[in-house]
Amino acid sequence: MAEPEVLLEVRGTLGVITLNRPRAVNALTALMAEAMLETLTDWAQDPAVDQVLVRGAGERGLCAGGDIVAIHRDIASGGTQTAGFWATEYRLNSLINAYPKPYIAYMDGLVLGGGVGISAHGSHRLVTTRTRSGMPETTIGFVPDVGGTYLLSRAPGQSGTHAALTGEHLGAAEVLYLGLADHLIDFNRAEELFSALEQTPVADLLPGFILPAPASQLESWRPWLDAAYGHDEVEDIVAALAVLADAGNEEARMSVATLAKKSPTALKLTLASLRRARELATLEEALEQEYRVGLRALASRDFPEGIRAQVIDKDYAPAWNPATLAEVDRELVEASFASLGERELKLNPRVPSDTTTTGGRT
């Protein structure tokens, strides 16, 4: 028999969730999201569970994102399963954000897309020197979701805009600087930490495991990132980066080259999403906005084409339509944020009773 996609157990007073699809770098499926949502809801009320640990099976990472192969299959068949998956996943993200007990996310290895959603909203977010994290959605013609627009719109200066548009995989230093994680620990001591967590509160243990935060390139790049990415039109951002590149800024030159490969429509939707998310008061509002944009993307040309190029045919040569930023319909971008009517997600913001002594992020 096939092993369960997610393993759920209580060890001492520690609830342990292990994503268990190591061959797929623990990519999230609808069943996994449902199991996590149900279990975390139960554990929140269970006096036998004091804190929760989320980790990934295997050595490759916590979670490489949502199962985009399943999403491609659903789009091709005209199905509605993806909308249901996202609705469950976003409710899970909301629950994690306001969880009433310490929620410890072990962000080792790959932590991308949906993996960020089940980790970066937690109360104790731990990265290692092997961490490679980010929101690479523009690469597949999509837009950062799972609360990614909320998180990155609140990163220092325009560093989150750079991370969202380029979709780059980032190391521990950058993840910490962006505010997607709290502490760096040694992956060689992870099992020691997990064992101790079975009986000891995470707040008592962590000081003995935390390593000094490494220097962040994004922080050193802050002046030119803020200048280039502070514009509200993608064309203006690219033009500003090109000027910097012509002046000898190699990182800006690489950014121009990276952005040229992304879906023009996804770039415009991502920037608009970030700017709007910056003005939203709660994570739930951002998730509701991401749901609107996401459902419109399911009916787009670029999203299934991006998945095809990256993981189905693996030719890495998507045919974006439209192919240039100038051709992207401004009205289409605006329409992506319009109400879904009866299909609205309608999340209820949850405020934990005491985030300072339990868990949860505000």
Side-chain angles (χ1 to χ4, degrees):
M1 292 180 61
E3 286 194 29
E5 293 182 335
V6 57
L7 305 176
L8 308 162
E9 57 185 322
V10 176
R11 303 178 186 172
T13 59
L14 177 69
V16 182
I17 296 176
T18 305
L19 306 187
N20 193 38
R21 299 184 69 212
R23 291 186 178 181
V25 199
N26 303 311
L28 278 179
T29 66
L31 289 176
M32 293 166 75
E34 290 167 6
M36 287 187 68
L37 180 60
E38 180 180 354
T39 299
L40 285 170
T41 300
D42 290 344
W43 283 350
Q45 306 299 324
D46 188 345
V49 176
D50 290 340
Q51 52 195 0
V52 173
L53 168 69
V54 176
R55 60 184 299 189
E59 294 295 320
R60 297 170 64 192
L62 170 65
C63 175
D67 188 345
I68 58 175
V69 174
I71 291 175
H72 188 273
R73 190 182 306 120
D74 187 46
I75 293 173
S77 65
T80 59
Q81 294 181 355
T82 300
F85 167 43
W86 284 342
T88 300
E89 186 180 24
Y90 296 0
R91 289 190 174 92
L92 173 61
N93 303 148
S94 175
L95 174 61
I96 292 169
N97 181 65
Y99 205 63
K101 298 177 180 181
Y103 180 99
I104 306 141
Y106 181 54
M107 302 170 67
D108 185 43
L110 285 177
V111 187
L112 305 173
V116 173
I118 61 164
S119 57
H121 300 302
S123 61
H124 297 76
R125 306 164 302 170
L126 312 178
V127 290
T128 75
T129 54
R130 303 191 299 193
T131 296
R132 300 297 294 173
S133 185
M135 304 296 294
E137 284 77 10
T138 56
T139 304
I140 56 171
F142 193 48
V143 180
D145 66 336
V146 297
T149 61
Y150 184 85
L151 294 167
L152 293 178
S153 68
R154 286 156 173 77
Q158 295 297 324
S159 58
T161 306
H162 169 75
L165 293 180
T166 61
E168 292 180 348
H169 294 187
L170 304 166
E174 316 312 333
V175 176
L176 289 165
Y177 178 69
L178 288 169
L180 304 180
D182 302 303
H183 303 294
L184 175 70
I185 69 167
D186 183 353
F187 61 84
N188 288 310
R189 297 187 65 198
E191 293 299 332
E192 177 188 349
L193 173 62
F194 301 159
S195 178
L197 285 170
E198 295 176 15
Q199 303 295 338
T200 307
V202 63
D204 294 342
L205 288 172
L206 266 187
F209 287 84
I210 295 172
L211 300 176
S216 162
Q217 281 190 318
L218 290 176
E219 184 173 14
S220 67
W221 296 347
R222 175 77 182 272
W224 69 263
L225 286 177
D226 287 0
Y229 287 94
H231 300 284
D232 291 329
E233 296 291 341
V234 179
E235 291 93 333
D236 293 336
I237 290 174
V238 173
L241 288 169
V243 170
L244 290 167
D246 290 341
N249 186 319
E250 180 62 17
E251 289 78 18
R253 185 196 67 77
M254 293 175 62
S255 295
V256 171
T258 297
L259 294 176
K261 299 176 183 178
K262 309 302 181 183
S263 158
T265 301
L267 289 175
K268 293 228 170 185
L269 281 169
T270 295
L271 184 61
S273 295
L274 289 170
R275 297 299 186 252
R276 289 169 180 253
R278 186 172 57 190
E279 305 303 320
L280 298 176
T282 66
L283 170 65
E284 285 75 19
E285 290 175 284
L287 289 166
E288 290 166 356
Q289 175 176 279
E290 291 169 354
Y291 191 69
R292 295 181 200 113
V293 174
L295 291 199
R296 269 58 184 251
L298 289 175
S300 72
R301 304 182 185 115
D302 279 6
F303 190 22
E305 171 63 8
I307 299 175
R308 178 207 65 77
Q310 287 294 315
V311 299
I312 306 298
D313 297 336
K314 297 184 179 180
D315 58 22
Y316 309 108
W320 303 128
N321 188 354
T324 67
L325 290 167
E327 295 175 281
V328 177
D329 186 345
R330 184 181 296 270
E331 291 184 2
L332 180 146
V333 172
E334 289 298 315
S336 295
F337 295 93
S339 172
L340 295 167
E342 294 182 356
R343 301 181 72 192
E344 282 283 294
L345 190 55
K346 297 180 181 177
L347 295 172
N348 293 318
R350 305 175 215 187
V351 180
S353 58
D354 187 351
T355 59
T356 61
T357 58
T358 56
R361 305 194 68 79
T362 57

